[in-house]
Amino acid sequence: MSQTTPTITAFQSSPDRGQGLARDMRVRWALEEVGLPYDVRLVSFSEMKQPAHRKLHPFGQIPTYEEGDLTLFETGAIILHIAERHAGLLPADANGRARAIAWMFASLNTVEPPIVELSMAFILERNKSWYEERRTMLVDRVRTRLEDLSNRLGNADWLDGAFSLGDLMMVTVLRRLNSSGLLNDYPSLCAYIARAEARPAYRRAFDDQLAVFTASSSQG
Ligand code: GTB
């Protein structure tokens, strides 16, 4: 069966300055894990809101995924699509697959929301008089998730047996806390992230998105 080379979209100039925190990183990493070559179309913030891009992504965001006559948005859907068609991100047995998918949803629905809320509060509310009080509450919510995740991971390498799309998504979610210092209290989670970042597929994806940022910043 011939495989159409997929095209994803990514920020022309990522606000994270190439730290691999924008969500195209997840898709790049998944594609690298399964060994599928891909093209990248870079879009500016204004292009993202134009009708042409909104046809691909109703909310005017990145990443999108185009493969033949299929267009997808939402990183969870994109990564599941890749994992279902190519070996490397899901276990062979049906129950193991279901559990790996549950971990992917847990990363997106249970762990990511409080992390995003904390970072959005910093971006949008840090000059408000009540910010410190709100931050304390948001940090507590994040810590609750980190504590529970750390307890479940224990000394294991990955969340449920072999590395899966659940780990891939969870690690990209946790990395958003890098600059907060909150991860430092959870050595097993730090080791988990480091283990994932040492994977050759992760390195290739990271280097590729960094090269995009480096090129965009050298163009002034
Ligand atoms: N739920 C969607 C998915 O998983 O695909 C969320 C997609 C999304 O949030 N896309 C963001 C976007 O396009 C980019 S990744 N934003 C532009 C807009 O909404 O107008 C979010 C992101 C952006 C920047 C950083 N950073 O600088 O650290 C981190 C994460």
Side-chain angles (χ1 to χ4, degrees):
M1 193 178 64
S2 73
Q3 166 74 47
T4 314
T5 301
T7 298
I8 68 166
T9 50
F11 283 132
Q12 201 165 62
S13 179
S14 180
D16 75 348
R17 308 186 59 79
Q19 293 173 68
L21 299 176
R23 288 183 174 88
D24 59 295
M25 177 64 197
R26 304 165 172 184
V27 180
R28 291 172 181 272
W29 184 10
L31 289 163
E32 293 288 353
E33 287 285 349
V34 302
L36 194 59
Y38 62 99
D39 294 324
V40 183
R41 191 170 62 253
L42 302 176
V43 288
S44 65
F45 274 93
S46 61
E47 280 166 343
M48 263 183 258
K49 306 302 172 196
Q50 298 299 318
H53 186 75
R54 282 189 191 272
K55 269 194 190 151
L56 310 178
H57 197 305
F59 306 109
Q61 295 185 312
I62 61 97
T64 57
Y65 179 94
E66 293 157 79
E67 181 200 289
D69 55 9
L70 173 70
T71 300
L72 284 177
F73 63 99
E74 281 299 330
T75 49
I78 296 170
I79 285 160
L80 186 54
H81 171 80
I82 295 166
E84 281 178 333
R85 281 155 187 80
H86 304 275
L89 288 170
L90 280 170
D93 70 295
N95 285 355
R97 287 168 92 87
R99 288 195 305 272
I101 293 167
W103 275 115
M104 186 187 75
F105 277 108
S107 70
L108 295 173
N109 280 351
T110 304
V111 180
E112 187 166 51
I115 293 176
V116 168
E117 211 176 340
L118 178 64
S119 54
M120 291 313 285
F122 177 75
I123 294 167
L124 301 173
E125 298 168 348
R126 68 178 180 277
N127 295 324
K128 305 284 187 196
S129 57
W130 36 261
Y131 173 68
E132 279 310 321
E133 209 175 332
R134 175 157 160 74
R135 183 178 184 279
T136 303
M137 180 194 71
L138 296 176
V139 164
D140 279 352
R141 283 193 196 152
V142 170
R143 281 192 189 283
T144 300
R145 295 292 186 243
L146 297 181
E147 186 76 31
D148 289 344
L149 186 66
S150 168
N151 287 340
R152 171 53 84 99
L153 180 66
N155 294 321
D157 280 355
W158 308 115
L159 288 167
D160 191 329
F163 177 83
S164 79
L165 84 183
D167 297 295
L168 183 150
M169 200 62 100
M170 190 66 82
V171 166
T172 62
V173 165
L174 294 175
R175 286 189 77 254
R176 288 197 68 164
L177 289 170
N178 277 354
S179 60
S180 72
L182 292 177
L183 288 165
N184 296 340
D185 292 337
Y186 306 91
S188 67
L189 294 182
C190 293
Y192 172 61
I193 296 167
R195 204 174 294 123
E197 289 176 341
R199 294 176 73 84
Y202 176 93
R203 294 265 32 113
R204 288 194 295 274
F206 185 91
D207 291 348
D208 285 351
Q209 62 77 41
L210 179 58
V212 170
F213 178 75
T214 307
S216 77
S217 45
S218 70
Q219 283 160 13

